[in-house]
Amino acid sequence: MSTLIYTESPLDPKHAVYDATILAGDGWFHPVRKGQTLRIVDLEGNQAADTFFFNAADVKERYSAQDTIREQGSIYLTTGTPLMSNLCNPLLTITADTCGRHDTLGGACAAESNMVRYSLDKRFMHACRDTFLLQMALSGYHVTKRDLAHNINFFMNVPVTPEGGLRFADGVSEPGKYVEMRAEMDVLCLISNCPQLNNPCNAYNPTPIQVLIW
Amino acid sequence: MNTTLYAETLPGGAMWSMRVPRHRRVRLTALNAGANVSALLYNADQPLDRLNVPDTLKALHTAKLTKGHILMSDMGHALASIVEDSLGWHDPLGGHLTAAQALAKYGDHNYQQYRNDFHRNAHNDFLVELSKHGLGLADIVANVNFFSKVAVDDDGKMAFVPNHASAGDSLELRTEMNVLLVLANCPHPMNPASEYPVCRVQVEIFPTEAPGPDDFCRNFRPECERTLALTERLFI
């Protein structure tokens, strides 16, 4: 295993202004104000929190995985990573991380990509992009499929080899591990707590996550 | 089958888009060393069905693109297959050059002073070409960079490999549906060159057959067969 960086947060959950649990397969679409801190907790370990951000003032500005990794020169997200927008502005900055590595190459599972990856009869299984689309459709935020791009998978480990291979490695997360980020502007946070049952990323047992805001 | 249906040379910085019908071969040839072409692909009949880099990479278990790989949409469809490739590595990670990056790296090289040799950037090139098809900023998703290589080490550190492409290197895409292909012939954003690299790239289009049962791309991985099967459903 290569280097992982761990950073604890000084923030106390007792003082959070918002605290919610997102069950596996559920979604969450919520504003985080500039200067606020969002923590996502992997309650039972190796659960993928598929997460996406919009600039709340103009949703055409949104999280960009390619700009984020290129600007920091590394494919993994951890403490210190600015989460960059498609206009190359920092939306949030990761300020604490007890997991040490998060993936932003792998994107979110979808009914359609499950058919390609696993078999054509997987179409009717629940998938992250369906969660995203439902959250967007039910919200008052005027965002649609057109506004969705590829996301962060907090607590996932998807290494790239020097030969250009992509691996789906064992998780590096454990129960209670968390990642925390400070909003650099007013943002909308869209989460799908991944329901994936087709690969062993979560030991075929999707579990809840917790979100806290200070 | 080598009848040339279309041929054009893209100058350095050029933007280009074309609705390419199903089952054509699109050959891109670097006419100068160090070329880079940032590319986006859409289902021409329903542009909400568009290139999805993570779905493509996951399905193919790869972080680079080369012969055998199929560029997939977020709806599980095959947009285009890479049927020939002299290079072995095209970059799906680095994104594309923006106006601010071009200004910071290469200085103010504006139209007033330099006329049509001014420095264009891929982001603005994409916006202009997409606008011609009724699309815009929301439709710019993660792109691929033909002719460029970005290697990743065990700690995740990304390194641009200079002069990866030589003059004459080429790749061929076979369209698997009616595709809107959008190209920006602009420098890779991680290219460390201090002078804006000006590279010409030739685009040629030829007719070709639908992929048969023995097709190299179809048989590259089981996922390729399935994405082609889903694409067939578009034409029922």
Side-chain angles (χ1 to χ4, degrees):
Chain A
M1 174 56 72
S2 47
T3 317
L4 296 179
I5 301 164
Y6 304 108
T7 313
E8 301 270 352
S9 167
L11 295 171
D12 186 336
K14 287 201 298 278
H15 301 135
V17 297
Y18 182 92
D19 180 347
T21 298
I22 308 171
L23 300 178
D26 282 357
W28 187 75
F29 201 1
H30 199 278
V32 183
R33 301 281 171 216
K34 180 179 179 178
Q36 286 187 326
T37 293
L38 168 70
R39 179 187 293 184
I40 305 174
V41 186
D42 186 7
L43 290 172
E44 298 187 27
N46 290 327
Q47 176 62 14
D50 289 43
T51 305
F52 193 71
F53 296 101
F54 299 95
N55 173 352
D58 179 1
V59 294
K60 284 204 274 309
E61 182 167 21
R62 64 191 185 198
Y63 176 70
S64 168
Q66 287 184 330
D67 290 306
T68 297
I69 64 173
R70 186 194 60 245
E71 291 306 299
Q72 70 165 4
S74 169
I75 61 168
Y76 304 121
L77 313 185
T78 189
T79 307
T81 300
L83 305 178
M84 303 298 285
S85 76
N86 56 340
L87 302 179
C88 275
N89 297 312
L91 296 159
L92 307 94
T93 303
I94 297 180
T95 49
D97 177 16
T98 61
C99 176
R101 173 181 289 185
H102 307 271
D103 162 62
T104 195
L105 293 184
C109 64
E112 295 80 8
S113 67
N114 281 345
M115 287 192 279
V116 173
R117 292 187 67 197
Y118 305 109
S119 72
L120 297 184
D121 65 4
K122 302 295 186 186
R123 178 176 186 162
F124 301 106
M125 294 179 71
H126 189 37
C128 277
R129 257 177 274 164
D130 288 354
T131 300
F132 282 148
L133 294 175
L134 182 61
Q135 288 294 319
M136 291 193 292
L138 292 174
S139 78
Y141 293 132
H142 304 291
V143 287
T144 67
K145 177 179 182 297
R146 199 176 171 199
D147 302 297
L148 193 60
H150 88 260
N151 57 284
I152 301 168
N153 296 307
F154 286 118
F155 311 117
M156 291 297 292
N157 184 26
V158 184
V160 169
T161 69
E163 297 76 36
L166 194 67
R167 292 196 297 121
F168 303 96
D170 290 339
V172 292
S173 190
E174 294 170 11
K177 298 276 188 179
Y178 61 81
V179 60
E180 213 170 83
M181 59 217 93
R182 180 185 65 239
E184 306 293 358
M185 61 175 80
D186 290 351
V187 297
L188 305 174
C189 176
L190 176 60
I191 293 178
S192 164
N193 190 17
C194 186
Q196 182 57 260
L197 289 173
N198 290 294
N199 70 47
C201 63
N202 48 20
Y204 304 97
N205 179 34
T207 52
I209 58 171
Q210 182 184 21
V211 285
L212 296 152
I213 298 174
W214 286 265
Chain B
M1 293 301 288
N2 276 321
T3 310
T4 305
L5 301 172
Y6 171 91
E8 189 149 31
T9 297
L10 309 184
M15 62 188 96
W16 182 93
S17 67
M18 183 178 276
R19 184 185 189 280
V20 184
R22 188 185 190 203
H23 300 149
R24 300 285 188 273
R25 278 187 299 131
V26 181
R27 181 189 294 161
L28 302 177
T29 306
L31 300 182
N32 301 94
N36 179 74
V37 174
S38 298
L40 289 167
L41 296 93
Y42 304 80
N43 176 342
D45 301 318
Q46 191 208 10
L48 265 183
D49 185 15
R50 58 197 185 186
L51 176 67
N52 191 288
V53 166
D55 283 3
T56 300
L57 300 185
K58 275 191 296 189
L60 298 167
H61 293 233
T62 188
K64 65 182 177 189
L65 297 169
T66 187
K67 180 177 176 177
H69 293 163
I70 298 180
L71 299 171
M72 297 177 197
S73 78
D74 64 307
M75 301 293 281
H77 299 134
L79 292 153
S81 302
I82 303 178
V83 292
E84 295 294 340
D85 177 23
S86 72
L87 262 174
W89 189 310
H90 301 268
D91 165 50
L93 303 180
H96 58 270
L97 188 71
T98 67
Q101 290 161 349
L103 182 65
K105 289 176 78 168
Y106 306 117
D108 184 9
H109 203 274
N110 59 60
Y111 181 83
Q112 173 71 43
Q113 192 171 358
Y114 296 96
R115 296 296 193 256
N116 279 312
D117 291 329
F118 79 116
H119 289 170
R120 298 175 192 256
N121 64 83
H123 192 76
N124 288 357
D125 280 6
F126 282 156
L127 286 174
V128 171
E129 285 305 311
L130 287 170
S131 296
K132 294 171 185 175
H133 300 276
L135 306 174
L137 180 61
D139 302 292
I140 300 181
V141 289
N143 65 283
V144 297
N145 289 301
F146 294 126
F147 303 116
S148 286
K149 177 175 181 177
V150 175
V152 178
D153 72 13
D154 286 338
D155 277 325
K157 191 167 184 301
M158 300 164 72
F160 179 82
V161 178
N163 296 312
H164 176 54
S166 304
D169 272 320
S170 67
L171 82 158
E172 285 187 14
L173 304 173
R174 179 182 62 219
T175 53
E176 305 294 2
M177 64 164 82
N178 302 322
V179 164
L180 172 62
L181 176 60
V182 182
L183 303 179
N185 184 22
C186 292
H188 191 285
M190 295 175 73
N191 188 332
S194 53
E195 289 287 314
Y196 185 99
V198 178
C199 300
R200 292 170 305 125
V201 171
Q202 187 173 35
V203 183
E204 297 165 281
I205 301 179
F206 310 98
T208 193
E209 302 284 340
D214 298 328
D215 182 71
F216 184 79
C217 294
R218 182 187 294 280
N219 293 297
F220 189 79
R221 288 190 60 89
E223 292 89 341
C224 296
E225 165 62 28
R226 289 195 286 269
T227 192
L228 288 169
L230 289 172
T231 310
E232 290 293 325
R233 296 180 181 179
L234 291 172
F235 297 89
I236 288 171

